[in-house]
Amino acid sequence: HKEYRRQRQMCIRDRFETVHAGGCGVMEGIATASDGSVYFTEITRSVGCSDARGVQGGRIWVIPPGGRPRVFREPSNMAAGLAIDAQDRLVVAEGADFGGRRVSVTDLRSGDYRVVAYFHDNRQLNAPNDVAIDRAGRIYFSDLRLFGPETIEQRIHAVYRLDPPAAGSGAKGLWPIARILGDNAKVNGVELSPDGRTLYAGLCDPGTNALGEQGPAPLDRTGSGGLLAYALDAAGQPGAPRVLLDLEKAGCVDGMTTDTEGNVYLALPSSPGGPGLYVLTPAGQLVARLVLPNRESPMNVGFGRGAEANMLYVATVGVGKVYRLRVGKSGSAPAP
């Protein structure tokens, strides 16, 4: 049985295709527009990506249908997580480490850029990391500090919800913001079920806010890694959590995506069984585990759209690559 699993993992691994290589270290944020263009981010960390000219500001890349990767935006304000809604608006979590520390929305058709979140309770956000959008256009995003020298303003790691202003309301400026999760667990990736009724939160706590770039910080803690599921009410408020995956202190859940059947695809840069992609049913049953070439560590995962809806894209850390793999399921496209 072990030999069969090993051969099956080797077979899956051999089907991964490299679509981008040569990044500085952390590739993130897979999202696909309606025309099939795939966007992803490159976090150019100040430790490892700086030189005598200074600190880089991050990049957002795009792979046009049938084309080669090119830079979409530089600097990206250290963009991490991405999401694209049904109107082809790119929602970006701009992180710390000389980044924007905010959430922005860009209309991919017109290029119009707007900042929609920057503060909570008159304090600047720490480092928005991942984003998800529901059917009502509400934006859910995680805010945690993993690296960067900036002062930590929010004294708690949290997940927030942004409520878009009603049409014709005359509202201007930043969107209304609410902290909906805030028990100080380091929620990294966030995702919604295809029907928008469940919020998934990936826990990832390496035990530091700086990953070697700062000394000990007040929020440092070594917590659990895993996946939690929260039922959402009509207003987007979460209920009690359900534990779907518990990695204890030996693993980390980063980015994630879902297919049309509601299965959740998790990028695990570390786990007791080694890094890879886990696929869970909505009930938390593990139905597949995929190992990347050279056992590389995935950071984010997302599906293509249209004719490429069954193409799974994977961003990695350490080697700066993006892979793709054709699978037997299709990703859930943004609902209008």
Side-chain angles (χ1 to χ4, degrees):
H1 180 64
K2 289 182 179 179
E3 177 63 18
Y4 168 78
R5 286 191 302 171
R6 187 188 69 83
Q7 292 178 356
R8 181 174 182 272
Q9 288 179 352
M10 289 175 61
C11 179
I12 291 173
R13 183 168 56 240
D14 291 341
R15 293 204 302 266
F16 279 101
E17 176 190 358
T18 302
V19 294
H20 178 76
C24 192
V26 183
M27 314 306 288
E28 261 278 14
I30 305 289
T32 309
S34 62
D35 67 354
S37 296
V38 178
Y39 294 79
F40 60 93
T41 61
E42 179 183 355
I43 306 174
T44 55
R45 289 179 54 194
S46 60
V47 172
C49 299
S50 301
D51 55 29
R53 293 173 295 172
V55 178
Q56 300 182 48
R59 301 178 185 92
I60 298 177
W61 292 80
V62 60
I63 308 174
R68 298 175 61 85
R70 61 175 174 83
V71 174
F72 170 75
R73 178 184 296 161
E74 184 180 10
S76 68
N77 299 320
M78 290 299 181
L82 303 176
I84 298 177
D85 67 10
Q87 288 74 46
D88 270 345
R89 292 176 295 198
L90 178 68
V91 179
V92 182
E94 301 179 10
D97 201 18
F98 305 98
R101 299 173 64 185
R102 60 197 178 195
V103 178
S104 65
V105 177
T106 299
D107 190 315
L108 293 176
R109 298 168 184 172
S110 68
D112 182 73
Y113 172 97
R114 291 289 186 272
V115 176
V116 296
Y118 193 78
F119 299 105
H120 180 261
D121 286 344
N122 297 317
R123 293 180 179 271
Q124 188 176 358
L125 298 169
N126 287 336
N129 184 273
D130 200 12
V131 288
I133 311 167
D134 71 9
R135 293 170 179 259
R138 294 175 293 218
I139 297 172
Y140 300 79
F141 71 93
S142 57
D143 183 47
L144 74 162
R145 175 62 61 82
L146 290 175
F147 40 79
E150 296 91 339
T151 302
I152 294 176
E153 300 288 340
Q154 300 292 335
R155 309 309 294 176
I156 190 170
H157 305 293
V159 174
Y160 297 89
R161 188 189 67 241
L162 298 174
D163 298 320
S169 66
K172 298 179 180 180
L174 301 177
W175 291 11
I177 185 171
R179 180 186 287 160
I180 59 172
L181 298 177
D183 62 359
N184 212 28
K186 285 189 175 180
V187 174
N188 192 321
V190 292
E191 183 58 286
L192 294 165
S193 60
D195 62 8
R197 297 178 180 176
T198 302
L199 173 67
Y200 295 106
L203 301 180
C204 181
D205 192 346
T208 178
N209 301 319
L211 296 183
E213 297 174 36
Q214 292 173 279
L219 292 182
D220 282 357
R221 57 188 295 275
T222 302
S224 298
L227 182 69
L228 302 177
Y230 297 85
L232 297 174
D233 64 19
Q237 192 66 21
R242 291 186 295 121
V243 178
L244 298 188
L245 177 66
D246 186 0
L247 300 174
E248 298 181 345
K249 297 183 180 181
C252 167
V253 174
D254 202 302
M256 65 191 82
T257 191
T258 59
D259 63 25
T260 54
E261 299 175 8
N263 299 306
V264 190
Y265 296 66
L266 307 176
L268 274 67
S270 63
S271 78
L277 300 177
Y278 280 25
V279 185
L280 304 182
T281 68
Q285 179 185 2
L286 178 65
V287 292
R289 178 175 177 265
L290 308 180
V291 179
L292 271 65
N294 304 312
R295 297 185 67 84
E296 293 165 20
S297 295
M299 295 293 283
N300 213 312
V301 59
F303 280 96
R305 296 267 291 275
E308 298 295 307
N310 64 344
M311 188 69 78
L312 192 67
Y313 289 81
V314 185
T316 69
V317 62
V319 290
K321 292 182 181 179
V322 175
Y323 293 99
R324 65 184 174 191
L325 171 72
R326 196 170 296 278
V327 297
K329 306 293 182 180
S330 296
S332 54

